[in-house]
């Protein structure tokens, strides 16, 4: 019997709650047959694996419904799934004269619900890679065609829903009846496929005053700007960057990318100076490149004649005896209450008022603040550059004058997608960065880094992401060539994850993901590149 049939027999009707299974340590779709000797663990929507599988299947459902609706209209079109915005995916109609109205979006959404009610099977078939590449070219999907150009296998898996065929990076749910939670709403010049929240399985709450979902508008603006960067470089999909590598254009691509990033950092420095800001606050999720960014921003400030003073917010931790503990009784260093906010605010206030202040250094081995005689007094051309997990939280600077503060949010918001319908997760990019850096600087195995990643993500979702829109500026630290660059360093580490490890599935998934990229020699990566924070060989102490 299939895994789905086994679940229904053993536990009663699935009711579309379980979406996949781990069989003998490997992920399997519910349509897969199971034998008596198999060890089976079912996967639901609350797990990262199940959540990704649901989102992927929802995109297929949307594309099928859109074809059913838009094929009745005059004009060609191509839908692109572009990037994650809040609790959903931003999509656009490309190369078309069709006007995307709210009525059309409503019809697509209603068609999606009809398909869910029909509980149509999502079928997988094995097809010729060359044949599918030709088909995608005929369907005006150059990103997919270019991606398949570099696939080593002669056969690939294709998913089909009601006659609509597509290629996806990952597994699917068995049928449309599983996809009951979603919404479709107009946004800017496209629409957003709203997805349920992993924690609850329900759609996010709407603003009671406006009746609309909350979407991070500043983040969206940065993503659109990054999209423009990709267009300037002629790189939008993985196949594009592989073509650049094959044709010997990597060196030029690296130089242009670094020049664009340096200009953006210089522009931020100019805004700080023109606004007469004295306290620069920087926050972002793990492996965003905060350290290198802070150093490069400081250099740009010095080029303008400003003297930056880097201060780590971690130096204002409470004494170990006063540190809060989590539900497991372990010290919680990530919560806001772990900081001595009173001392932080008092110190910053006195500095902004021109006083000379004794500066603390937190000694983690001793679990207390130490004063070694270091003092600081801000001159006319001095500015504080402070980095910390809570730097954007209004509570950490509530008593400081707002006109003296400049807040920067930094994250790796990749401008690259696998193809028109398969996004590259920014989380995957940051995880690969951390795996490589942790192995180089801390001696951690990929297994250890992957196993601790869910805890890191929970901290980000609780303490960083809710405050990203507080930033005056968002800096995108994604590098167009980074995945080909990091591939050489990451693959040996990922291959080292044992098959019996809980991290094995994730390691195997990342290896498959990196398999889409051609690798590059990193000797041409500049020493001051943000990439060097992870692969090593940089000029900054990180």
């Amino acid at each position: 019997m299939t895994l789905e049939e086994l679940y229904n027999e053993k536990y009663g009707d699935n009711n579309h709650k379980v979406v996949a299974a781990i069989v003998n340590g490997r992920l399997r779709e519910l349509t897969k047959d199971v034998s008596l000797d198999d060890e089976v663990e079912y996967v639901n929507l609350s797990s990262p694996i199940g959540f990704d599988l649901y989102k992927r299947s929802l995109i297929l459902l949307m594309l099928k419904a859109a074809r059913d609706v838009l094929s009745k209209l005059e004009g060609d079109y191509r839908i692109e799934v572009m990037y994650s915005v809040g609790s959903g995916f931003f999509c656009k109609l490309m190369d078309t004269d069709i006007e995307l109205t709210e009525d059309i979006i409503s019809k697509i959404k209603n068609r999606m619900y009809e398909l869910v009610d029909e509980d149509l099977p999502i079928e997988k078939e094995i097809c010729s890679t060359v044949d599918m590449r030709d088909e995608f070219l005929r369907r005006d999907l150059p990103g997919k065609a270019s991606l398949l150009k570099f696939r080593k296998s002669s056969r690939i898996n294709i998913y089909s829903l009601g006659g609509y065929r597509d290629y996806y990076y990952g597994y699917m749910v068995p049928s449309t009846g599983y996809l009951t939670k979603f919404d479709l709403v107009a946004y800017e010049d496209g629409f957003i496929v709203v997805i349920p929240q992993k924690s609850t399985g329900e759609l996010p709450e709407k603003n009671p005053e406006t009746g609309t979902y909350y979407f991070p508008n500043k983040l969206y603006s940065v993503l659109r700007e990054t999209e423009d960067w990709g267009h300037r470089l002629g790189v939008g999909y993985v196949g594009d960057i592989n073509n650049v590598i094959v044709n010997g254009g990597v060196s030029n691509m690296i130089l242009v990318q670094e020049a664009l990033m340096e200009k953006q950092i210089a522009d931020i420095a100019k805004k700080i100076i023109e606004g007469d800001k004295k306290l620069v606050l920087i926050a972002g999720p793990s492996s965003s490149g905060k350290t290198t960014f802070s150093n490069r921003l400081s250099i740009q400030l010095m080029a303008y004649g400003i003297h930056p003073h880097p201060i780590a917010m971690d130096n204002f931790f409470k004494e170990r005896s006063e540190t809060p503990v989590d539900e497991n009784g372990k010290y919680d260093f990530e919560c806001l209450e772990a900081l001595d906010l009173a001392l932080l605010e008092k110190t910053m206030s006195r500095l902004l008022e021109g006083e000379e202040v004794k500066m603390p250094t937190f000694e983690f081995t001793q679990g207390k603040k130490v004063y070694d005689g270091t003092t600081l007094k801000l001159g006319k051309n001095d500015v504080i550059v402070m980095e910390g997990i809570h730097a954007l939280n209004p509570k950490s600077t509530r008593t400081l004058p707002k006109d003296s503060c400049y807040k920067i949010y930094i994250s790796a918001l990749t401008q690259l997608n696998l193809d028109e319908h398969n996004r590259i997760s920014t989380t995957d990019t940051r995880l690969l960065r951390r795996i490589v850096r942790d192995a180089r600087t801390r001696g951690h195995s990929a297994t250890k880094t992957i196993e601790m990643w869910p805890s890191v993500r929970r901290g980000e979702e609780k303490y960083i992401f809710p405050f990203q829109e507080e930033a005056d500026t968002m800096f995108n630290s994604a590098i167009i060539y980074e995945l080909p660059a990091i591939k050489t360093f990451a693959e040996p580490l990922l291959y080292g994850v044992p098959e019996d490890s809980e991290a094995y599935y994730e390691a195997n998934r990342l290896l498959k993901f990196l398999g889409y990229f051609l690798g590059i020699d990193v000797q041409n990566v500049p020493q001051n590149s943000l990439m060097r924070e992870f692969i090593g060989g940089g000029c900054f102490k990180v």
Side-chain angles (χ1 to χ4, degrees):
M1 60 175 59
T2 65
L3 286 161
E4 185 178 35
E5 291 168 343
L6 174 65
Y7 186 95
N8 291 338
E9 181 178 289
K10 189 173 179 64
Y11 301 106
D13 187 7
N14 180 8
N15 287 323
H16 303 135
K17 299 296 183 183
V18 166
V19 295
I22 304 291
V23 181
N24 303 326
R26 284 174 165 76
L27 182 65
R28 293 289 182 260
E29 291 171 307
L30 293 180
T31 52
K32 187 77 174 178
D33 286 343
V34 64
S35 66
L36 288 171
D37 297 330
D38 288 334
E39 182 179 319
V40 178
E41 177 188 352
Y42 284 99
V43 174
N44 59 30
L45 188 61
S46 64
S47 72
I49 297 172
F51 191 56
D52 287 344
L53 196 141
Y54 186 95
K55 291 186 292 185
R56 189 180 306 116
S57 305
L58 198 57
I59 294 301
L60 175 60
L61 175 67
M62 179 274 293
L63 291 169
K64 159 63 177 169
R67 191 191 70 168
D68 291 351
V69 171
L70 297 175
S71 61
K72 299 175 182 178
L73 305 176
E74 291 187 4
D76 296 326
Y77 73 93
R78 182 175 76 248
I79 292 181
E80 291 202 12
V81 182
M82 305 194 71
Y83 24 72
S84 176
V85 178
S87 296
F89 299 122
F90 177 73
C91 307
K92 278 184 68 176
L93 277 186
M94 311 291 287
D95 302 330
T96 183
D97 294 327
I98 298 174
E99 182 182 358
L100 186 65
T101 63
E102 293 207 16
D103 179 60
I104 288 178
I105 293 173
S106 178
K107 287 180 178 178
I108 295 174
K109 179 170 72 172
N110 291 337
R111 179 57 183 151
M112 289 174 71
Y113 278 119
E114 290 174 359
L115 293 169
V116 171
D117 290 339
E118 293 175 27
D119 197 17
L120 297 177
I122 297 176
E123 299 173 316
K124 182 163 65 175
E125 54 183 314
I126 300 175
C127 298
S128 161
T129 304
V130 174
D131 289 347
M132 289 310 304
R133 180 186 169 196
D134 292 341
E135 178 178 321
F136 287 136
L137 281 173
R138 291 194 300 271
R139 290 167 54 184
D140 190 27
L141 294 170
K144 287 185 180 291
S146 184
L147 184 72
L148 296 184
K149 172 185 175 182
F150 295 96
R151 296 306 290 158
K152 296 176 183 178
S153 174
S154 62
R155 314 285 284 178
I156 57 172
N157 292 326
I158 293 294
Y159 286 93
S160 176
L161 172 58
Y164 177 85
R165 302 204 303 173
D166 209 348
Y167 176 71
Y168 286 92
Y169 160 57
Y171 289 155
M172 296 279 182
V173 297
S175 66
T176 56
Y178 284 75
L179 306 172
T180 58
K181 303 290 184 181
F182 64 85
D183 201 352
L184 227 63
V185 296
Y187 186 78
E188 296 293 334
D189 56 348
F191 62 93
I192 289 181
V193 181
V194 183
I195 58 178
Q197 296 175 302
K198 183 171 63 177
S199 57
T200 64
E202 300 295 329
L203 293 177
E205 294 183 359
K206 293 183 178 180
N207 186 321
E209 296 180 0
T210 63
T212 59
Y213 295 104
Y214 165 79
F215 295 122
N217 296 322
K218 289 182 181 178
L219 186 67
Y220 170 79
S221 298
V222 174
L223 289 166
R224 288 305 290 261
E225 180 183 339
T226 302
E227 181 189 343
D228 292 339
W229 279 26
H231 288 158
R232 283 185 234 174
L233 293 168
V235 176
Y237 310 115
V238 171
D240 296 333
I241 198 168
N242 285 340
N243 278 320
V244 170
I245 294 169
V246 168
N247 294 319
V250 171
S251 296
N252 187 63
M253 180 174 62
I254 290 174
L255 291 172
V256 174
Q257 165 72 88
E258 295 296 338
L260 286 169
M261 187 166 282
E262 194 64 32
K263 181 181 183 302
Q264 189 180 14
I265 296 173
D267 290 343
I268 292 173
K270 189 176 181 181
K271 290 177 183 177
I272 292 169
I273 295 165
E274 291 176 345
D276 194 25
K277 306 298 182 181
K278 305 296 285 184
L279 176 57
V280 179
L281 298 152
I282 303 170
S286 174
S287 303
S288 293
K290 296 183 289 293
T291 303
T292 299
F293 170 78
S294 298
N295 278 291
R296 288 176 65 171
L297 178 62
S298 294
I299 289 172
Q300 288 292 342
L301 289 169
M302 286 188 280
Y304 281 107
I306 301 299
H307 186 199
H309 296 275
I311 296 176
M313 191 172 275
D314 287 358
N315 284 330
F316 292 88
F317 270 131
K318 288 180 178 176
E319 310 300 290
R320 188 62 43 80
S321 59
E322 300 174 5
T323 303
V325 295
D326 60 19
E327 63 274 10
N328 299 317
K330 296 181 179 180
Y331 290 118
D332 187 354
F333 296 109
E334 293 191 337
C335 69
L336 182 65
E337 291 72 25
L339 288 176
D340 188 341
L341 289 179
L343 177 63
L344 174 65
E345 291 178 332
K346 181 180 178 182
T347 302
M348 294 302 112
S349 293
R350 291 179 62 194
L351 286 171
L352 293 175
E353 290 170 3
E355 297 183 35
E356 184 173 0
V357 182
K358 293 181 179 180
M359 300 302 294
T361 299
F362 194 86
E363 290 289 343
F364 286 89
T365 54
Q366 302 177 44
K368 64 178 182 179
K369 291 182 285 292
V370 174
Y371 292 87
D372 59 5
T374 301
T375 63
L376 178 61
K377 182 178 181 179
L378 295 183
K380 179 182 178 181
N381 293 325
D382 290 356
V383 63
I384 297 169
V385 179
M386 180 180 287
E387 175 197 328
I389 187 173
H390 299 291
L392 301 187
N393 189 330
K395 292 182 180 179
S396 64
T397 54
R398 63 185 184 279
T399 63
L400 302 179
K402 291 184 178 180
D403 57 357
S404 295
C405 300
Y406 192 83
K407 296 183 177 183
I408 302 171
Y409 175 76
I410 173 173
S411 189
L413 306 167
T414 179
Q415 61 265 56
L416 200 65
N417 279 339
L418 283 177
D419 57 38
E420 290 85 354
H421 305 150
N422 287 276
R423 293 180 52 259
I424 291 179
S425 166
T426 58
T427 303
D428 283 351
T429 303
R430 292 192 295 110
L431 176 54
L432 286 166
R433 285 180 172 187
R434 180 146 181 171
I435 287 170
V436 171
R437 186 184 62 188
D438 281 3
R440 181 177 61 82
T441 63
R442 301 178 182 178
H444 288 179
S445 66
T447 302
K448 183 171 183 178
T449 302
I450 291 171
E451 288 177 346
M452 66 185 292
W453 189 244
S455 175
V456 173
R457 294 278 294 135
R458 285 192 293 271
E460 295 169 351
E461 290 170 358
K462 188 173 183 180
Y463 300 118
I464 296 179
F465 297 146
F467 305 107
Q468 61 188 15
E469 291 288 300
E470 295 284 336
D472 297 294
T473 290
M474 289 188 175
F475 178 78
N476 188 356
S477 67
I479 300 172
I480 197 77
Y481 63 84
E482 72 174 279
L483 289 167
I486 214 165
K487 173 187 174 84
T488 305
F489 300 88
E491 283 185 334
L493 299 170
L494 293 168
Y495 276 117
V497 176
E499 289 191 20
D500 59 354
S501 166
E502 291 185 1
Y504 179 75
Y505 165 76
E506 187 71 350
N508 198 45
R509 184 184 68 82
L510 291 172
L511 280 169
K512 180 184 176 184
F513 169 60
L514 288 172
Y516 288 102
F517 295 85
L518 299 179
I520 62 171
D521 188 340
V522 299
Q523 65 176 350
N524 291 327
V525 176
Q527 283 189 316
N528 70 338
S529 172
L530 191 141
M531 197 73 239
R532 291 290 180 184
E533 181 171 331
F534 306 98
I535 64 175
C539 58
F540 300 120
K541 183 179 179 181
V542 294

